Amino acid sequence: MLKRAWWFSSTAGALLLCSQGWSRPQDTAAPAGTDAVRHFRFDPPQSLAGWTLSGDAALDPARNRDGQGGALRIAPGGKAVLKLRDRDESGRVEFWVYDDGARPADPKARRAGPRWGLLQSDGRVLAVGILYASYLGGAEGYTATSCDGNDWFDKLSWLGIKRGQPGWHKW
């Protein structure tokens, strides 16, 4: 079994980060009708205020991008959710994900790797991540999923985006 953590860096409904990850925040979309941009950082301890964490998810001041701030580390089975708005609306979300390039021994065995995306108020999720199955290339690229947050293999779209070199990637 592949055991790894992911780091996330995020920006803008609700932002959902699941299992196996790290992240470092960037710009976020402001509520409709405003031009303001919200920024989230993971360096001070209070930066997780407003986040709902479950499992192994915590700040990591040592993992940073371009020598700035820290990151949110989400280990296997962990989850982090940030409510962005009181209702579902359109907007723009940008964040950075650290992909360490790890691949399981059997990349065709069905399993969900790290995922990140948006969560609607009804529980539906639109996420991108590394999903493994006999018909997917999780070791080579990323897959988008539209699901109920439980069945990650419900509706899939192969993105054709290659998993580049290990490091930070902007989404």
Side-chain angles (χ1 to χ4, degrees), residues 1-4 19-20 76-77 102-106 109-112:
M1 176 183 233
L2 181 65
K3 293 279 189 181
R4 66 192 248 197
S19 192
Q20 286 108 284
R103 277 121 169 105
D106 182 3
R110 185 178 167 122
R111 75 171 67 72

Side-chain angles (χ1 to χ4, degrees), residues 56-73:
D56 186 0
L59 293 177
D60 180 357
R63 175 73 63 172
N64 61 59
R65 188 181 61 79
D66 298 333
Q68 302 173 24
L72 172 60
R73 178 185 182 276

